[in-house]
Amino acid sequence: MNELYKQDYENLPPDEKAAWNYDHYLRTRIAIDKYFVSYGLDVAMVTGMMERAKELDVRYQTMIDLIDKKLLPPLSQELNGLESLFADLFREVLRPLPNEIKY
């Protein structure tokens, strides 16, 4: 299994590969394979948060891609729609407060 992970790591887009340390990628990949085994609103919410975070850290794009590879084709489009809605929600709700409201 580690050889497959190593091959996937080597085939990452250059910007994503540059952002990862292989050991961290390996631990993350193992965790995704272990904990993302079924899909529902919880995974859609996590992926939605990652969609927002990828703007600041390209490694989240890698994780999104790994999770998406595990989706069954009939669910993929449906869940991608939910993930997109959650990303929009998190972007709206978690955006920085205007300076005049900060404490």
Side-chain angles (χ1 to χ4, degrees):
M1 193 62 109
N2 284 354
E3 283 303 313
L4 173 64
Y5 295 163
K6 179 75 171 171
Q7 183 180 11
D8 287 349
Y9 173 77
E10 293 298 332
N11 291 323
L12 287 173
D15 59 333
E16 291 180 39
K17 186 176 179 185
W20 285 99
N21 164 298
Y22 177 70
D23 291 334
H24 185 214
Y25 173 85
L26 179 61
R27 287 190 308 272
T28 302
R29 179 71 185 267
I30 290 168
I32 287 171
D33 284 348
K34 182 176 181 180
Y35 295 108
F36 288 81
V37 293
S38 62
Y39 294 88
L41 290 178
D42 56 339
V43 173
M45 288 175 60
V46 168
T47 306
M49 286 186 276
M50 288 181 189
E51 283 286 345
R52 184 175 193 268
K54 76 179 185 184
E55 297 167 6
L56 301 174
D57 189 338
V58 71
R59 291 177 296 173
Y60 288 108
Q61 182 61 56
T62 306
M63 290 186 274
I64 291 166
D65 292 343
L66 291 170
I67 292 166
D68 283 348
K69 283 181 186 177
K70 294 186 75 174
L71 290 177
L72 298 173
L75 300 177
S76 184
Q77 190 173 30
E78 181 179 310
L79 287 177
N80 282 341
L82 281 175
E83 292 165 7
S84 178
L85 288 172
F86 282 124
D88 293 344
L89 173 66
F90 291 126
R91 188 173 287 110
E92 192 62 31
V93 172
L94 301 177
R95 69 176 177 226
L97 294 173
N99 287 332
E100 64 272 9
I101 299 177
K102 290 184 180 177
Y103 294 96

